[in-house]
Amino acid sequence: MKKVSLLVLSLVGAFSLQAQDYFDALRFSESFVEGNARYMAMGGALSSLGGNMGAISVNPASSASFKKSVFEFSPTYVYTKSENYYKGYDHAFKSAVKVPSFGILGYKQLKQNDVFVSGLSFSFAMNAQNRYDETIQYTTNNTNSSLTDDFLARLSAGDYNEQYSQLAWDTYLIDYDSENNVYLSDFVKNGVSNYNGLYQDIKIDRDGVKREYLFNVGVDFSEYVFFGADLTLEDIYYTENRTITEKDYGNVSSDLESFKYKSSVDMVGSGVGGKFGLIVRPIEYLRIGGAIHTPVMYNLREEYENSLDVFYEQDIDETNNLRKHASYSNNFNFKVGQPAKFVGSLGFVYKNLLNIGVDIESINYSQCQLDSDIESMSEANSQIKSELVNASNLKCGGEFRYGPFAFRAGYAMYGNPYKNVTGETFYRNDISAGVGMATNLVYCDLSWARAKSKQSNLLYSDLKGNDVDAKSTIKRDYVTFTVGFKF
């Protein structure tokens, strides 16, 4: 039987595990635009080539090079596979049909006047900016540590809060030995640990999207200079559910059978921004593009809940209840400031046969900001400056046309935004290809793209306060179909 103490500590409910940090700032500041099938097939390298609804999100001047009004719609099938490494190998899958892009553009040809304006365009489009869907699974027989170590270490240090460690206290997962004046768990007693037969099942399920709704105006100056501007309304939805299940298959404890810790976070938010872009055609075959994206401040609301369910093999508190449950929920409002982005691009156009584009993007993530009306974010902002750096993204794409048919391919590399993480300079790589067919009235495009990235997930801390983390490789495949109508 567990020896239950009625000791009450004075430090209660002062710490929040849901505290915002540089991961939140980075998550909501990154953009990996999901445009139409042509945009996806060419790796997004269309900022100087123009004439594409997806490219308007990167360089607003892309709209000024249209010569007809268009309406298009782009459903996509997204398949996400996670390859997970934590004392072994696991994998998990997630798939869905989404609509990441649609838009309508109106074009008006003008007679040249004193300022050489030959065309105007007005457009509205929606493009997904980031996708968070993924499922990560880790299963193992862990002989080195347990989630209870984190609870035990926190309580031993006087960190007794209602959102996390108090859950373990209220469910008797952590006990107090008043005779020896120490805390103990079912796997650590009197300073001696034993994890023989401990089974862990850890699941992280994420969902959500960052979307952009843009209102654009484009101006064509005699087909030599194209200018565009966007007003963007952005919204964010993000949810994450973590479950850590541990089972005492080795019968280390005579009381504990298993427990399940759950943590869920739901965030929704919105922001307003602007973009300005220019494309110059100094000679027939060359396009030079540039764009500036203004900073965006997102207002976010977070709702979170932590719960702990513990199952015992025998009655431990004379209630005849073998299941103990404790939970905590709350909400919090805060702001995330996304820094400005700068885009430079080159395009090569040979008649109506060949298009090649190269884009370079630069964004300084150390300039991200967190803010709240009810809580100081100075420590989190200092962490952002020390952990994040300027990152550069490189996109390349090509298109070959043969009559009404088009054949496309692309490659994109996204720079590592972390200062203290060694490894590859680019932490996400996209490869893509596609085909298309167009007439004077309609066009249809099909593309495939694979985005491959790596991540590390902090699971908990051990008795000594060392991070227990796991690695994952995320492979996300997009199959996008676009149908567009010219009028």
Side-chain angles (χ1 to χ4, degrees):
M1 298 285 290
K2 293 185 74 173
K3 181 162 48 181
V4 180
S5 170
L6 297 179
L7 175 68
V8 177
L9 301 186
S10 59
L11 182 60
V12 178
F15 178 77
S16 169
L17 291 179
Q18 257 55 56
Q20 282 63 45
D21 55 24
Y22 69 96
F23 291 110
D24 289 311
L26 180 62
R27 179 188 298 117
F28 300 130
S29 294
E30 287 186 306
S31 292
F32 309 99
V33 178
E34 297 176 24
N36 57 24
R38 181 175 179 237
Y39 179 93
M40 298 294 284
M42 296 180 65
L46 287 159
S47 296
S48 58
L49 297 174
N52 183 270
M53 295 296 291
I56 296 175
S57 182
V58 182
N59 187 343
S62 179
S63 64
S65 58
F66 278 84
K67 296 305 176 187
K68 286 188 176 182
S69 300
V70 300
F71 169 76
E72 66 176 39
F73 179 75
S74 301
T76 186
Y77 172 74
V78 185
Y79 176 82
T80 305
K81 177 183 179 181
S82 64
E83 297 176 345
N84 311 304
Y85 306 90
Y86 173 63
K87 303 182 184 300
Y89 171 79
D90 289 280
H91 60 270
F93 306 91
K94 197 168 190 175
S95 63
V97 176
K98 305 287 186 178
V99 181
S101 175
F102 67 83
I104 185 169
L105 179 143
Y107 170 76
K108 176 66 174 177
Q109 185 176 6
L110 302 176
K111 292 183 179 180
Q112 292 190 4
N113 54 30
D114 292 339
V115 292
F116 306 108
V117 175
S118 58
L120 289 174
S121 65
F122 300 92
S123 57
F124 168 77
M126 185 277 288
N127 292 296
Q129 300 291 301
N130 204 346
R131 191 166 301 282
Y132 308 114
D133 307 2
E134 60 194 29
T135 297
I136 296 170
Q137 188 90 30
Y138 307 109
T139 57
T140 187
N141 291 313
N142 193 339
T143 59
N144 299 316
S145 66
S146 163
L147 175 61
T148 58
D149 295 347
D150 200 358
F151 295 133
L152 180 60
R154 290 174 183 271
L155 287 170
S156 298
D159 179 8
Y160 196 88
N161 66 82
E162 58 185 343
Q163 302 180 44
Y164 187 62
S165 54
Q166 184 175 330
L167 304 180
W169 177 260
D170 292 342
T171 55
Y172 304 101
L173 196 57
I174 302 299
D175 197 16
Y176 180 74
D177 183 350
S178 57
E179 293 182 1
N180 296 306
N181 194 32
V182 293
Y183 288 89
L184 49 86
S185 73
D186 289 282
F187 302 105
V188 180
K189 295 181 174 65
N190 299 319
V192 179
S193 59
N194 182 3
Y195 308 100
N196 181 44
L198 173 62
Y199 172 80
Q200 288 182 328
D201 185 348
I202 302 171
K203 183 177 182 181
I204 304 173
D205 189 55
R206 300 186 177 106
D207 200 359
V209 66
K210 174 183 172 183
R211 282 183 299 248
E212 176 186 74
Y213 302 88
L214 62 86
F215 301 86
N216 169 275
V217 59
V219 184
D220 174 7
F221 295 94
S222 301
E223 299 188 22
Y224 287 102
V225 176
F226 306 91
F227 173 79
D230 292 345
L231 171 65
T232 64
L233 307 178
E234 307 192 21
D235 72 76
I236 292 172
Y237 165 69
Y238 176 79
T239 180
E240 177 176 309
N241 295 287
R242 293 190 177 215
T243 303
I244 299 179
T245 301
E246 294 190 2
K247 297 181 180 179
D248 180 22
Y249 283 155
N251 292 320
V252 173
S253 170
S254 59
D255 302 321
L256 180 66
E257 177 182 303
S258 65
F259 70 86
K260 181 179 291 186
Y261 170 76
K262 294 182 179 180
S263 175
S264 64
V265 179
D266 290 284
M267 298 185 191
V268 293
S270 60
V272 179
K275 302 176 185 180
F276 305 91
L278 195 69
I279 299 174
V280 179
R281 185 172 70 97
I283 58 177
E284 182 179 356
Y285 303 117
L286 183 65
R287 308 287 189 273
I288 302 172
I292 297 175
H293 301 188
T294 68
V296 179
M297 181 65 75
Y298 297 101
N299 294 289
L300 291 151
R301 178 175 178 82
E302 173 187 272
E303 296 182 356
Y304 60 91
E305 180 178 7
N306 299 332
S307 67
L308 187 61
D309 285 281
V310 186
F311 300 89
Y312 293 98
E313 296 179 347
Q314 56 182 313
D315 185 13
I316 61 171
D317 60 354
E318 300 179 355
T319 63
N320 295 320
N321 187 358
L322 301 184
R323 172 182 177 265
K324 303 299 179 184
H325 173 81
S327 64
Y328 179 89
S329 61
N330 209 332
N331 58 73
F332 183 68
N333 294 327
F334 67 104
K335 299 177 181 179
V336 173
Q338 172 184 297
K341 178 186 285 188
F342 303 91
V343 182
S345 57
L346 287 175
F348 175 80
V349 178
Y350 180 70
K351 297 182 178 179
N352 196 34
L353 296 176
L354 182 66
N355 296 315
I356 297 175
V358 178
D359 286 13
I360 298 178
E361 302 174 349
S362 178
I363 180 169
N364 190 348
Y365 291 108
S366 68
Q367 295 180 0
C368 293
Q369 290 288 320
L370 291 171
D371 191 22
S372 172
D373 295 334
I374 61 174
E375 184 175 321
S376 173
M377 293 288 187
S378 58
E379 182 177 349
N381 287 321
S382 296
Q383 188 185 47
I384 289 172
K385 294 184 182 299
S386 64
E387 296 291 342
L388 301 179
V389 295
N390 185 86
S392 297
N393 308 325
L394 177 64
K395 304 175 182 179
C396 305
E399 176 182 54
F400 174 73
R401 293 183 177 272
Y402 184 76
F405 302 101
F407 305 91
R408 307 172 178 119
Y411 189 73
M413 301 182 293
Y414 293 87
N416 188 345
Y418 299 102
K419 178 184 294 185
N420 299 316
V421 176
T422 59
E424 300 175 356
T425 303
F426 298 97
Y427 84 134
R428 168 173 161 154
N429 296 271
D430 296 4
I431 186 170
S432 55
V435 295
M437 182 181 70
T439 68
N440 290 330
L441 297 177
V442 65
Y443 56 92
C444 297
D445 299 308
L446 179 67
S447 70
W448 165 82
R450 165 168 286 186
K452 181 180 178 181
S453 60
K454 297 180 179 180
Q455 63 176 247
S456 178
N457 289 293
L458 175 61
L459 306 179
Y460 55 88
S461 299
D462 64 16
L463 285 171
K464 296 181 180 180
N466 299 316
D467 292 343
V468 177
D469 57 12
K471 309 297 182 183
S472 292
T473 298
I474 308 299
K475 297 178 179 178
R476 182 170 286 124
D477 290 284
Y478 303 85
V479 178
T480 305
F481 175 74
T482 297
V483 57
F485 303 93
K486 305 174 185 179
F487 55 95

PDB file of all heavy atoms in Angstrom, residues 369-384:
ATOM      1  N   GLN A 369       8.343  38.612 -32.357  1.00  0.00           N
ATOM      2  CA  GLN A 369       7.985  39.196 -31.069  1.00  0.00           C
ATOM      3  C   GLN A 369       6.791  38.467 -30.464  1.00  0.00           C
ATOM      4  O   GLN A 369       5.874  38.056 -31.188  1.00  0.00           O
ATOM      5  CB  GLN A 369       7.638  40.683 -31.229  1.00  0.00           C
ATOM      6  CG  GLN A 369       8.821  41.571 -31.566  1.00  0.00           C
ATOM      7  CD  GLN A 369       9.750  41.766 -30.390  1.00  0.00           C
ATOM      8  OE1 GLN A 369       9.317  41.920 -29.255  1.00  0.00           O
ATOM      9  NE2 GLN A 369      11.044  41.743 -30.660  1.00  0.00           N
ATOM     10  N   LEU A 370       6.812  38.302 -29.162  1.00  0.00           N
ATOM     11  CA  LEU A 370       5.665  37.819 -28.401  1.00  0.00           C
ATOM     12  C   LEU A 370       5.206  38.926 -27.469  1.00  0.00           C
ATOM     13  O   LEU A 370       6.033  39.645 -26.896  1.00  0.00           O
ATOM     14  CB  LEU A 370       6.030  36.567 -27.591  1.00  0.00           C
ATOM     15  CG  LEU A 370       6.315  35.287 -28.386  1.00  0.00           C
ATOM     16  CD1 LEU A 370       6.877  34.212 -27.476  1.00  0.00           C
ATOM     17  CD2 LEU A 370       5.054  34.785 -29.065  1.00  0.00           C
ATOM     18  N   ASP A 371       3.903  39.058 -27.312  1.00  0.00           N
ATOM     19  CA  ASP A 371       3.381  40.133 -26.476  1.00  0.00           C
ATOM     20  C   ASP A 371       2.079  39.683 -25.839  1.00  0.00           C
ATOM     21  O   ASP A 371       1.365  38.828 -26.379  1.00  0.00           O
ATOM     22  CB  ASP A 371       3.145  41.393 -27.312  1.00  0.00           C
ATOM     23  CG  ASP A 371       2.861  42.613 -26.451  1.00  0.00           C
ATOM     24  OD1 ASP A 371       3.241  42.600 -25.262  1.00  0.00           O
ATOM     25  OD2 ASP A 371       2.251  43.571 -26.956  1.00  0.00           O
ATOM     26  N   SER A 372       1.782  40.242 -24.682  1.00  0.00           N
ATOM     27  CA  SER A 372       0.536  39.953 -23.973  1.00  0.00           C
ATOM     28  C   SER A 372       0.178  41.137 -23.098  1.00  0.00           C
ATOM     29  O   SER A 372       1.061  41.817 -22.555  1.00  0.00           O
ATOM     30  CB  SER A 372       0.683  38.684 -23.112  1.00  0.00           C
ATOM     31  OG  SER A 372      -0.449  38.508 -22.280  1.00  0.00           O
ATOM     32  N   ASP A 373      -1.115  41.388 -22.965  1.00  0.00           N
ATOM     33  CA  ASP A 373      -1.582  42.494 -22.132  1.00  0.00           C
ATOM     34  C   ASP A 373      -1.563  42.162 -20.645  1.00  0.00           C
ATOM     35  O   ASP A 373      -1.648  43.066 -19.811  1.00  0.00           O
ATOM     36  CB  ASP A 373      -3.010  42.886 -22.538  1.00  0.00           C
ATOM     37  CG  ASP A 373      -3.069  43.451 -23.940  1.00  0.00           C
ATOM     38  OD1 ASP A 373      -2.047  43.996 -24.405  1.00  0.00           O
ATOM     39  OD2 ASP A 373      -4.136  43.334 -24.579  1.00  0.00           O
ATOM     40  N   ILE A 374      -1.450  40.863 -20.307  1.00  0.00           N
ATOM     41  CA  ILE A 374      -1.553  40.472 -18.904  1.00  0.00           C
ATOM     42  C   ILE A 374      -0.295  39.814 -18.362  1.00  0.00           C
ATOM     43  O   ILE A 374      -0.222  39.512 -17.176  1.00  0.00           O
ATOM     44  CB  ILE A 374      -2.745  39.520 -18.687  1.00  0.00           C
ATOM     45  CG1 ILE A 374      -2.559  38.247 -19.520  1.00  0.00           C
ATOM     46  CG2 ILE A 374      -4.058  40.200 -19.031  1.00  0.00           C
ATOM     47  CD1 ILE A 374      -3.638  37.198 -19.248  1.00  0.00           C
ATOM     48  N   GLU A 375       0.705  39.600 -19.214  1.00  0.00           N
ATOM     49  CA  GLU A 375       1.901  38.898 -18.758  1.00  0.00           C
ATOM     50  C   GLU A 375       3.123  39.401 -19.518  1.00  0.00           C
ATOM     51  O   GLU A 375       3.061  39.642 -20.717  1.00  0.00           O
ATOM     52  CB  GLU A 375       1.730  37.391 -18.975  1.00  0.00           C
ATOM     53  CG  GLU A 375       2.875  36.543 -18.448  1.00  0.00           C
ATOM     54  CD  GLU A 375       2.597  35.060 -18.592  1.00  0.00           C
ATOM     55  OE1 GLU A 375       1.435  34.656 -18.366  1.00  0.00           O
ATOM     56  OE2 GLU A 375       3.536  34.306 -18.939  1.00  0.00           O
ATOM     57  N   SER A 376       4.231  39.554 -18.820  1.00  0.00           N
ATOM     58  CA  SER A 376       5.458  40.004 -19.462  1.00  0.00           C
ATOM     59  C   SER A 376       6.026  38.899 -20.348  1.00  0.00           C
ATOM     60  O   SER A 376       6.065  37.734 -19.973  1.00  0.00           O
ATOM     61  CB  SER A 376       6.491  40.393 -18.402  1.00  0.00           C
ATOM     62  OG  SER A 376       7.734  40.680 -19.011  1.00  0.00           O
ATOM     63  N   MET A 377       6.474  39.285 -21.539  1.00  0.00           N
ATOM     64  CA  MET A 377       7.057  38.337 -22.482  1.00  0.00           C
ATOM     65  C   MET A 377       8.540  38.628 -22.709  1.00  0.00           C
ATOM     66  O   MET A 377       9.118  38.186 -23.702  1.00  0.00           O
ATOM     67  CB  MET A 377       6.312  38.413 -23.824  1.00  0.00           C
ATOM     68  CG  MET A 377       4.884  37.921 -23.774  1.00  0.00           C
ATOM     69  SD  MET A 377       4.816  36.133 -23.599  1.00  0.00           S
ATOM     70  CE  MET A 377       3.043  35.850 -23.775  1.00  0.00           C
ATOM     71  N   SER A 378       9.154  39.388 -21.812  1.00  0.00           N
ATOM     72  CA  SER A 378      10.546  39.787 -22.008  1.00  0.00           C
ATOM     73  C   SER A 378      11.484  38.586 -22.036  1.00  0.00           C
ATOM     74  O   SER A 378      12.424  38.537 -22.841  1.00  0.00           O
ATOM     75  CB  SER A 378      10.967  40.772 -20.916  1.00  0.00           C
ATOM     76  OG  SER A 378      10.806  40.189 -19.623  1.00  0.00           O
ATOM     77  N   GLU A 379      11.249  37.615 -21.175  1.00  0.00           N
ATOM     78  CA  GLU A 379      12.109  36.434 -21.150  1.00  0.00           C
ATOM     79  C   GLU A 379      11.965  35.634 -22.441  1.00  0.00           C
ATOM     80  O   GLU A 379      12.961  35.161 -23.016  1.00  0.00           O
ATOM     81  CB  GLU A 379      11.758  35.557 -19.947  1.00  0.00           C
ATOM     82  CG  GLU A 379      12.653  34.333 -19.818  1.00  0.00           C
ATOM     83  CD  GLU A 379      12.349  33.511 -18.576  1.00  0.00           C
ATOM     84  OE1 GLU A 379      11.583  33.999 -17.705  1.00  0.00           O
ATOM     85  OE2 GLU A 379      12.864  32.386 -18.472  1.00  0.00           O
ATOM     86  N   ALA A 380      10.724  35.488 -22.922  1.00  0.00           N
ATOM     87  CA  ALA A 380      10.492  34.753 -24.165  1.00  0.00           C
ATOM     88  C   ALA A 380      11.122  35.479 -25.353  1.00  0.00           C
ATOM     89  O   ALA A 380      11.706  34.851 -26.244  1.00  0.00           O
ATOM     90  CB  ALA A 380       8.994  34.562 -24.391  1.00  0.00           C
ATOM     91  N   ASN A 381      11.038  36.812 -25.381  1.00  0.00           N
ATOM     92  CA  ASN A 381      11.626  37.571 -26.480  1.00  0.00           C
ATOM     93  C   ASN A 381      13.149  37.524 -26.454  1.00  0.00           C
ATOM     94  O   ASN A 381      13.794  37.520 -27.504  1.00  0.00           O
ATOM     95  CB  ASN A 381      11.133  39.017 -26.443  1.00  0.00           C
ATOM     96  CG  ASN A 381       9.680  39.145 -26.886  1.00  0.00           C
ATOM     97  OD1 ASN A 381       9.245  38.476 -27.817  1.00  0.00           O
ATOM     98  ND2 ASN A 381       8.927  40.001 -26.211  1.00  0.00           N
ATOM     99  N   SER A 382      13.717  37.466 -25.256  1.00  0.00           N
ATOM    100  CA  SER A 382      15.176  37.284 -25.162  1.00  0.00           C
ATOM    101  C   SER A 382      15.568  35.912 -25.688  1.00  0.00           C
ATOM    102  O   SER A 382      16.610  35.758 -26.342  1.00  0.00           O
ATOM    103  CB  SER A 382      15.627  37.441 -23.702  1.00  0.00           C
ATOM    104  OG  SER A 382      15.383  38.746 -23.240  1.00  0.00           O
ATOM    105  N   GLN A 383      14.726  34.927 -25.419  1.00  0.00           N
ATOM    106  CA  GLN A 383      14.973  33.575 -25.921  1.00  0.00           C
ATOM    107  C   GLN A 383      14.910  33.540 -27.444  1.00  0.00           C
ATOM    108  O   GLN A 383      15.715  32.862 -28.099  1.00  0.00           O
ATOM    109  CB  GLN A 383      13.936  32.610 -25.314  1.00  0.00           C
ATOM    110  CG  GLN A 383      14.182  31.149 -25.610  1.00  0.00           C
ATOM    111  CD  GLN A 383      13.062  30.277 -25.078  1.00  0.00           C
ATOM    112  OE1 GLN A 383      11.883  30.580 -25.282  1.00  0.00           O
ATOM    113  NE2 GLN A 383      13.414  29.207 -24.396  1.00  0.00           N
ATOM    114  N   ILE A 384      13.965  34.288 -28.023  1.00  0.00           N
ATOM    115  CA  ILE A 384      13.857  34.360 -29.482  1.00  0.00           C
ATOM    116  C   ILE A 384      15.147  34.903 -30.088  1.00  0.00           C
ATOM    117  O   ILE A 384      15.679  34.354 -31.057  1.00  0.00           O
ATOM    118  CB  ILE A 384      12.660  35.251 -29.885  1.00  0.00           C
ATOM    119  CG1 ILE A 384      11.338  34.534 -29.572  1.00  0.00           C
ATOM    120  CG2 ILE A 384      12.724  35.610 -31.365  1.00  0.00           C
ATOM    121  CD1 ILE A 384      10.121  35.405 -29.760  1.00  0.00           C
TER     122      ILE A 384
END
